[in-house]
Amino acid sequence: RKEVEQDPGPFNVPEGATVAFNCTYSNSASQSFFWYRQDCRKEPKLLMSVYSSGNEDGRFTAQLNRASQYISLLIRDSKLSDSATYLCVLDTGRRALTFGSGTRLQVQP
Amino acid sequence: DVKVTQSSRYLVKRTGEKVFLECVQDMDHENMFWYRQDPGLGLRLIYFSYDVKMKEKGDIPEGYSVSREKKERFSLILESASTNQTSMYLCASSGGTGGGANVLTFGAGSRLTVL
């Protein structure tokens, strides 16, 4: 079983829509959680950290459910520029991050 | 801005050749990483280093080695390239051991094709 599982998508949504991605993880020792964003043919970049209490950054909301071992990312009022692959990322305590294979989002005009 | 520079964007090599992928960062980061990225498999960790001359195996170290002689430089070596090592290779760095260690800055990637 993969350490991090994501629905690969693609999620095709119209501009202005709300879209949510989930990610499940198998290592209960995972300590920190993140969402990275990767644009087509570009390198990944940190989008946001995910805190136990949930956190928001503008149109983006991240949630962590330790009991069920999943994290989520909600994007409100989608923009064309949100089109990218969203990577679920964990720190399992070994000083290197573990990446999911990503969920592709395509926002349509 | 932190910059991570990978020496080659595109390489084409033949089976059995020795391949060097170079990565340099300019922000005095302690931690450096090599990942490969393949469709459907995501980023997989090959090796990482948290200090000069230190190295740790990642999830898929077989067929690779690394060198970190200076803090700013982390090299990935394919001793004898094989076709299944055709991939996008991504170098990254981060600073410290706390929360900052989880903020990776990636290079633009090196796409290697082994014929």
Side-chain angles (χ1 to χ4, degrees), chain B residues 23-72:
Chain B
C23 175
V24 177
Q25 50 92 5
D26 65 2
M27 280 298 289
D28 202 35
H29 278 174
E30 290 83 358
N31 311 307
M32 297 190 74
F33 309 85
W34 275 106
Y35 289 87
R36 64 177 279 179
Q37 185 171 28
D38 301 287
L41 297 176
L43 279 82
R44 292 180 291 166
L45 181 66
I46 304 171
Y47 268 97
F48 63 104
S49 168
Y50 52 85
D51 203 352
V52 176
K53 298 194 186 293
M54 302 296 288
K55 60 185 179 185
E56 294 274 347
K57 290 181 180 179
D59 298 315
I60 51 162
E62 297 78 20
Y64 303 94
S65 61
V66 290
S67 171
R68 191 152 182 217
E69 296 296 318
K70 293 186 176 181
K71 191 175 186 180
E72 66 271 19

Side-chain angles (χ1 to χ4, degrees), chain A residues 18-47:
Chain A
T18 296
V19 62
F21 311 132
N22 282 339
C23 159
T24 57
Y25 61 93
S26 58
N27 188 339
S28 58
S30 299
Q31 301 171 355
S32 305
F33 307 85
F34 311 89
W35 285 100
Y36 274 66
R37 170 194 168 129
Q38 186 172 23
D39 292 325
C40 189
R41 301 186 199 284
K42 298 281 192 180
E43 68 275 18
K45 293 185 179 179
L46 177 67
L47 177 67

Side-chain angles (χ1 to χ4, degrees), chain B:
Chain B
D1 259 10
V2 176
K3 225 142 167 231
V4 178
T5 303
Q6 294 184 230
S7 54
S8 306
R9 286 300 307 272
Y10 300 96
L11 302 97
V12 179
K13 299 291 181 181
R14 299 224 172 258
T15 300
E17 279 193 78
K18 191 168 185 174
V19 182
F20 292 88
L21 298 179
E22 304 284 343
C23 175
V24 177
Q25 50 92 5
D26 65 2
M27 280 298 289
D28 202 35
H29 278 174
E30 290 83 358
N31 311 307
M32 297 190 74
F33 309 85
W34 275 106
Y35 289 87
R36 64 177 279 179
Q37 185 171 28
D38 301 287
L41 297 176
L43 279 82
R44 292 180 291 166
L45 181 66
I46 304 171
Y47 268 97
F48 63 104
S49 168
Y50 52 85
D51 203 352
V52 176
K53 298 194 186 293
M54 302 296 288
K55 60 185 179 185
E56 294 274 347
K57 290 181 180 179
D59 298 315
I60 51 162
E62 297 78 20
Y64 303 94
S65 61
V66 290
S67 171
R68 191 152 182 217
E69 296 296 318
K70 293 186 176 181
K71 191 175 186 180
E72 66 271 19
R73 187 178 298 269
F74 192 36
S75 303
L76 181 69
I77 302 148
L78 288 68
E79 292 289 340
S80 177
S82 63
T83 54
N84 62 13
Q85 292 178 310
T86 291
S87 188
M88 171 67 84
Y89 290 87
L90 289 162
C91 176
S93 73
S94 70
T97 55
N102 292 321
V103 181
L104 298 190
T105 299
F106 284 87
S110 298
R111 182 165 292 282
L112 171 67
T113 301
V114 183
L115 302 175

Side-chain angles (χ1 to χ4, degrees), chain A residues 49-86:
Chain A
S49 302
V50 186
Y51 302 119
S52 295
S53 53
N55 50 297
E56 199 171 296
D57 183 1
R59 297 181 293 107
F60 297 81
T61 301
Q63 296 273 0
L64 166 64
N65 185 319
R66 283 190 186 272
S68 301
Q69 294 186 200
Y70 77 84
I71 70 173
S72 64
L73 178 68
L74 181 80
I75 306 175
R76 288 182 299 278
D77 188 23
S78 300
K79 313 287 184 196
L80 293 175
S81 57
D82 294 334
S83 297
T85 297
Y86 291 84

